[in-house]
Each structure stands twice: as structure tokens, then as C-alpha cells.
Amino acid sequence: MNYIERDAELIRQQIPDGTEIPPQSEALFRTYAVLMRAKGINTCCEDVHDAWTAWISETDPDHEAARPFDQLDAETRSADAPFLQAIIQAARVKQQESQA
């Protein structure tokens, strides 16, 4: 397991209970890991949505939510929030580890 895969797993571990994780989402979580490494706690919902759109484009490019974040309704936007929370929490864990 390389460092991106470890970071992806760390993010997955931070997902709040009850959050639906898409099937076969390993590549999605690797993209989330890149976001975490690039933006850390400054990652925003729009970033998470962009990563998801890149991922879903491989299997369902015409998905109704595969459009810019600002064009989504509030309910669809809120679906990205648990993943944002997990990315930010994982970034904090990584920051604490680097300070130890």
C-alpha cells in the first residue's frame, strides 16, 4: 500500500456513520487523498464535488449531478458534506502526526 492509498484509507475511516459510500469507490478515495494532500483543511465542498464528478465520469458521464457545484440544488450539494468532513478530519490527523 503506497502513501496515497494509506491517505485514502484514512479518509475512509473518517466518514461519519450512516454515510452511503459509493460502490467500487477506491479511485474516488485516492482522488480525495490528493485533495487532502494539496489543500488540507482548506478543501471545500466544491473541490469534493469536482473530484466526485471526475470519478463518476468514468462510469456514468451523464449522471444528473455531474455538473458544476453552483448549479446543484441544496439537497444534492449536501451529499458532499460528509466526505468534506472526512477529508478535513484526515488532514488534521496527518497534521498531528507530523507534529509528533
Side-chain angles (χ1 to χ4, degrees):
M1 182 178 289
N2 67 40
Y3 69 101
I4 294 292
E5 291 167 330
R6 281 191 299 274
D7 287 349
E9 182 57 29
L10 176 61
I11 293 166
R12 188 181 287 272
Q13 292 169 1
Q14 308 306 313
I15 298 291
D17 289 341
T19 301
E20 186 176 335
I21 297 174
Q24 301 177 346
S25 57
E26 293 79 11
L28 175 61
F29 277 87
R30 285 192 299 270
T31 304
Y32 288 164
V34 172
L35 268 180
M36 181 192 73
R37 296 181 68 80
K39 296 193 75 177
I41 62 170
N42 296 314
T43 305
C44 66
C45 266
E46 187 170 354
D47 300 324
V48 174
H49 180 71
D50 289 346
W52 175 87
T53 300
W55 173 76
I56 199 68
S57 293
E58 289 294 316
T59 58
D60 190 1
D62 297 322
H63 191 287
E64 64 183 32
R67 53 191 159 133
F69 188 76
D70 63 357
Q71 294 178 13
L72 300 172
D73 61 50
E75 182 179 344
T76 304
R77 286 182 185 192
S78 69
D80 294 315
F83 298 95
L84 173 62
Q85 178 183 343
I87 291 166
I88 290 173
Q89 182 57 35
R92 288 185 177 131
V93 168
K94 297 287 290 184
Q95 187 177 37
Q96 289 173 353
E97 288 175 354
S98 70
Q99 293 174 350

